[in-house]
């Protein structure tokens, strides 16, 4: 339940060909920057303006003058990047997204129509189509003991081989305000996370993560 095919509809991202090479989404994290450059160099200059070296912004996107766009990155059509957003680099932001006030992005793929609108940190993560992170929710991408990240589902453990891995959010995931998604978190399609949650491991599709880590199926 945590493969790329389980989590994502690849018709909603420029990175479809790239992601289709892998089984698990975290396998794609190491090459995001290189893939952005490859895609960017092939973009139509009538649609995308290279506003700085290896920074491509669609002509219909709105970027606040106070936002920082670090290379390499792509900002898709009709996406809004708001006041003081900090895109550190290696960020592929799809069409119709919202990157909000003081949001920080680093080494990420945001599918189309993703919303990270208020005070979010998203690092070493992939956010599926129409996923939404509530105000103040973040992805924690490094374990406190600095060991390699493991994806856990019950007694099953999948070694990622990565020191840095945030969260993999499936399509239509809703994350409540001020939640922390611990390193190696995977949330299945159309699942909801209660506000103020501390989430780790795999959350099934069509589920609700409630207070105290109780997981129930959606009715």
């Amino acid at each position: 339940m945590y493969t790329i095919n389980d989590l994502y509809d690849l018709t909603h991202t420029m990175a479809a060909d790239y992601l289709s090479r892998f089984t698990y989404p975290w396998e794609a994290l190491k090459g995001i920057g290189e893939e952005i450059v490859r895609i960017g160099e092939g973009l139509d200059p009538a649609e995308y303006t290279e506003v700085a070296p290896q920074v491509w912004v669609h002509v219909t996107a709105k970027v606040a003058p106070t936002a920082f766009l670090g290379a390499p990155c792509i900002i898709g059509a009709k996406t809004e990047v708001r006041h003081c957003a900090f895109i550190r680099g290696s960020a592929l932001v799809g069409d119709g997204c919202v990157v909000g006030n003081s949001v920080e992005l680093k080494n990420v793929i945001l599918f189309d129509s993703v919303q990270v609108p208020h005070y979010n940190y998203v690092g070493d993560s992939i956010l599926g189509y129409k996923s939404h992170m509530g105000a103040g929710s973040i992805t924690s991408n490094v374990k406190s003991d600095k060991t390699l990240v493991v994806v856990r589902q019950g007694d099953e453990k999948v070694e990622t081989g990565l020191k840095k891995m945030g969260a993999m959010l499936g399509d239509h995931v809703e994350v409540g305000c001020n939640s922390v998604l611990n390193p190696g978190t995977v949330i299945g399609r159309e699942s909801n996370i209660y506000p103020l949650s501390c989430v780790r491991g795999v959350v099934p599709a069509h589920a609700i993560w409630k207070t105290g880590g109780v997981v129930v199926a959606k009715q």
Side-chain angles (χ1 to χ4, degrees):
M1 66 175 62
Y2 39 72
T3 69
I4 287 172
N5 288 337
D6 291 328
L7 294 168
Y8 304 117
D9 178 350
L10 295 183
T11 64
H12 292 292
T13 177
M14 288 187 201
D17 290 343
Y18 175 66
L19 290 172
S20 66
R21 303 175 200 167
F22 305 102
T23 301
Y24 302 112
W26 54 86
E27 295 173 323
L29 292 177
K30 289 184 177 180
I32 289 175
E34 292 83 355
E35 181 64 10
I36 289 169
V37 172
R38 187 195 69 79
I39 294 171
E41 290 176 345
L43 292 172
D44 184 349
E47 295 186 7
Y48 284 84
T49 302
E50 190 171 4
V51 298
Q54 298 184 343
V55 176
W56 294 273
V57 178
H58 196 275
V59 295
T60 63
K62 296 181 180 179
V63 179
T66 52
F68 177 83
L69 306 182
C73 78
I74 295 172
I75 306 298
K78 298 183 179 179
T79 283
E80 183 177 359
V81 182
R82 293 176 177 166
H83 175 65
C84 286
F86 179 31
I87 298 179
R88 286 167 56 187
S90 295
L92 175 52
V93 182
D95 297 344
C97 294
V98 176
V99 180
N101 173 29
S102 302
V103 168
E104 181 177 349
L105 303 181
K106 172 255 181 186
N107 200 47
V108 296
I109 296 173
L110 272 55
F111 278 54
D112 298 339
S113 302
V114 168
Q115 294 189 353
V116 283
H118 310 287
Y119 305 103
N120 308 106
Y121 171 69
V122 186
D124 300 287
S125 300
I126 299 176
L127 277 54
Y129 176 61
K130 287 193 174 180
S131 58
H132 168 255
M133 294 185 66
S137 61
I138 66 168
T139 65
S140 174
N141 58 341
V142 180
K143 295 173 66 175
S144 59
D145 61 6
K146 307 301 188 291
T147 57
L148 300 181
V149 177
V150 176
V151 174
R152 300 177 184 271
Q153 182 181 6
D155 295 331
E156 182 180 0
K157 298 190 297 184
V158 180
E159 303 283 348
T160 69
L162 300 172
K163 185 178 178 181
K164 293 186 177 183
M165 174 190 164
M168 306 291 128
L169 272 57
D171 297 339
H172 299 277
V173 163
E174 290 282 341
V175 178
C177 295
N178 289 325
S179 293
V180 176
L181 309 180
N182 284 282
T185 294
V186 181
I187 304 176
R189 295 182 192 231
E190 299 187 24
S191 286
N192 292 59
I193 307 299
Y194 267 24
L196 298 173
S197 294
C198 183
V199 185
R200 65 179 66 250
V202 177
V203 180
H206 310 286
I208 302 173
W209 176 290
K210 294 189 174 185
T211 303
V214 176
V215 179
V216 299
K218 283 187 175 180
Q219 299 299 315

